[in-house]
Structures are given as C-alpha cells and as structure tokens.
Amino acid sequence: MKKSFLEKKGTKYPICTAGKRAAVPEDIGGILGYEDMLEILKDPEHEEYEDTILWLGKDFDPEYFDPKDVSF
C-alpha cells in the first residue's frame, strides 16, 4: 500500500486532530438530553442541578476536549 506524503513515519492511523466538547455521557438521552444537561449546568438554582453534578462528578467540564483522549 502506497503511503501518502502527509503520513508521518511511526504514527499510528487514524488519528484525531481536532474536536469540540466532552463526550456525551451514557444514558443522557441523546443530543436533546445533552442539551438539557448543558442548560442545567449553567444554572446552579435549577432543581436538577445538584443531582446532575452528583451524576456527572464535580470535575465534569462540558467544554473539555483533548484529541489525545480519542481512541479508535
């Protein structure tokens, strides 16, 4: 198989080079559930805020993303 001139020797492909936001948590209810969760996290006065923080963990950051954390 011919290698592309862009491929670097010793690099295992595929690789992730960019992205946005943390992964969607399990059992969140899909995209709409994730959007609801983001709204809850913005409002510490929301009735579901404390339960959501307990479920996600206090260190959960929805804006966090590191391509090195992506695995194929």
Side-chain angles (χ1 to χ4, degrees), residues 31-45:
I31 298 296
L32 294 177
Y34 190 67
E35 289 176 357
D36 288 343
M37 181 205 70
L38 293 175
E39 290 301 314
I40 292 168
L41 291 177
K42 289 180 190 175
D43 181 10
E45 300 299 317

Side-chain angles (χ1 to χ4, degrees), residues 2-70:
K2 186 176 178 182
K3 292 198 177 234
S4 164
F5 69 94
L6 297 175
E7 291 183 36
K8 294 181 183 178
K9 185 177 181 178
T11 300
K12 188 176 178 181
Y13 292 93
I15 59 173
C16 178
T17 59
K20 188 175 181 182
R21 286 204 163 150
V24 177
E26 291 289 325
D27 297 328
I28 194 70
I31 298 296
L32 294 177
Y34 190 67
E35 289 176 357
D36 288 343
M37 181 205 70
L38 293 175
E39 290 301 314
I40 292 168
L41 291 177
K42 289 180 190 175
D43 181 10
E45 300 299 317
H46 192 285
E47 65 184 43
E48 296 179 39
Y49 181 83
E50 290 296 324
D51 288 337
T52 302
I53 294 296
L54 284 172
W55 179 58
L56 293 170
K58 62 183 177 180
D59 295 329
F60 180 79
D61 178 4
E63 297 302 322
Y64 173 81
F65 181 82
D66 187 341
K68 294 176 192 156
D69 294 340
V70 176

